[in-house]
Amino acid sequence: MNVQNDLIARNSKFAATFDKPDMPVLPRLRTVLLACADARVDPAHILGLDLGEVIVIRNTGGRVTRSVIEELATLSVLANILTEGRELGFNVILMQHTQCGAQRLANPELQAHLKDSLGIDVSDYAITDQASDLMIDVCRLVTASEIPDAVTVSALLYDVVTGVAQEIASVKSLGEWRSDPVTPGIDKAS
């Protein structure tokens, strides 16, 4: 079976009824969602998203990596330019899920194999406990000074068995996270 031919046929059906040629560049919900690349975790289906509502970034484990931080910083600048400075922030939702394949990255033997054979260090991005890992990722954004204070951050954990997305971290601006004296992993003395 040629998957590409099947997908092109599906696109033909989509294009035949496509009626949104004037969608704005900025997402309608002013939100960027970071999720795992796992095929069982499609945010459009899980969260009922429509075309043009949310920017979705997907990677292994839905983890905040250096490249995700750079992407969010770039999107911040673009949003500021596109709104001529009227919008300084947007929403970032981090979403991980149960039964994630990235949990295998916690295996030291697999980590060593990836480091030796590909030069890739995955140790900081292994999934060990989703709720804790989501809070670590929130802290990675909090300490990323290139992302403006006006950006809000929250976190969800999606259960692949029940279909339920549970809130792990409620919506808070990075400025609020940064000024909170009890935000873990933040050195307030510096």
Side-chain angles (χ1 to χ4, degrees):
M1 174 182 171
N2 183 329
V3 174
Q4 182 166 309
N5 287 344
D6 180 43
L7 295 177
I8 290 171
R10 292 181 190 191
N11 174 256
S12 293
K13 291 178 185 175
F14 170 80
T17 59
F18 184 71
D19 61 354
K20 299 178 182 179
D22 298 326
M23 280 188 287
V25 173
L26 292 175
R28 191 164 48 87
L29 298 179
R30 300 299 196 253
T31 299
V32 176
L33 188 136
L34 173 63
C36 184
D38 190 313
R40 300 171 296 169
V41 186
D42 186 335
H45 292 277
I46 293 167
L47 301 173
L49 301 174
D50 285 329
L51 197 59
E53 287 189 316
V54 172
I55 294 171
V56 177
I57 300 172
R58 296 178 74 173
N59 66 18
T60 303
R63 298 305 309 265
V64 173
T65 62
R66 183 69 212 152
S67 64
V68 167
I69 290 169
E70 290 171 0
E71 195 72 34
L72 292 173
T74 301
L75 288 170
S76 296
V77 170
L78 288 173
N80 191 26
I81 290 169
L82 290 169
T83 64
E84 298 174 341
R86 290 184 306 278
E87 292 185 34
L88 300 176
F90 51 85
N91 308 302
V92 174
I93 300 172
L94 308 177
M95 187 172 78
Q96 292 182 15
H97 66 95
T98 60
Q99 299 181 9
C100 184
Q103 290 173 280
R104 290 174 180 82
L105 298 177
N107 179 323
E109 291 174 10
L110 179 56
Q111 288 179 7
H113 173 72
L114 289 168
K115 180 84 169 176
D116 294 343
S117 63
L118 301 175
I120 299 172
D121 183 0
V122 296
S123 58
D124 284 344
Y125 306 115
I127 301 285
T128 54
D129 174 77
Q130 282 88 0
S132 296
D133 293 337
L134 280 163
M135 292 311 298
I136 288 168
D137 283 349
V138 167
C139 286
R140 286 179 176 148
L141 294 178
V142 170
T143 59
S145 60
E146 58 267 62
I147 302 174
D149 283 350
V151 170
T152 67
V153 177
S154 60
L156 300 172
L157 177 60
Y158 172 68
D159 188 319
V160 298
V161 174
T162 66
V164 173
Q166 171 192 359
E167 183 178 85
I168 300 298
S170 59
V171 178
K172 216 157 131 178
S173 74
L174 284 178
E176 291 172 300
W177 282 106
R178 290 170 178 152
S179 65
D180 186 343
V182 295
T183 299
I186 306 302
D187 181 8
K188 301 299 181 194
S190 53

